[in-house]
Amino acid sequence: MPEQTGSWWSYEEAMGLLAEHFHVYAVDLRGQGRSSWTPKRYSLDNFGNDLVRFIALVVRRPVVAGNSSGGVLAAWLSAYSMPGQLRGDPGHWPRHSSW
């Protein structure tokens, strides 16, 4: 998940490396990148609930990653997503020398 005011493009370089081991979804949160603008609807809970719905309808059981405020959203998901919705063990993520 991207940083505040960022978009999925901030992950473009890493996506190819991640795709060697995972099915990768790159998201733009509401009001970021090419997503639509929804004035006065920007909050951590709104972003998080958008992601919970996306995960439930599209992804099912992801490993999530985020940088900066996207990392805060990853933590939000670990606390507030539906039980059993997330999976992952960062100790088993692929390592790359430039990370």
Side-chain angles (χ1 to χ4, degrees):
M1 291 168 284
E3 69 282 0
Q4 190 172 358
T5 73
S7 75
W8 68 267
W9 297 312
S10 63
Y11 280 93
E12 190 171 17
E13 187 175 333
M15 286 171 56
L17 297 169
L18 291 169
E20 293 174 11
H21 303 277
F22 301 99
H23 187 107
V24 176
Y25 293 90
V27 298
D28 281 335
L29 302 172
R30 58 172 76 195
Q32 297 180 343
R34 293 185 177 162
S35 68
S36 61
W37 287 72
T38 52
K40 299 182 182 179
R41 304 231 186 239
Y42 303 107
S43 71
L44 186 60
D45 285 337
N46 283 342
F47 290 142
N49 285 311
D50 289 346
L51 290 167
V52 167
R53 284 188 295 279
F54 176 73
I55 291 166
L57 295 172
V58 178
V59 184
R60 304 288 184 225
R61 289 194 65 226
V63 173
V64 295
N67 66 310
S68 189
S69 58
V72 173
L73 275 171
W76 187 98
L77 284 169
S78 71
Y80 298 110
S81 64
M82 293 182 275
Q85 190 175 30
L86 303 181
R87 64 181 170 86
D89 178 354
H92 290 95
W93 287 15
R95 301 284 187 235
H96 191 272
S97 61
S98 65
W99 292 6

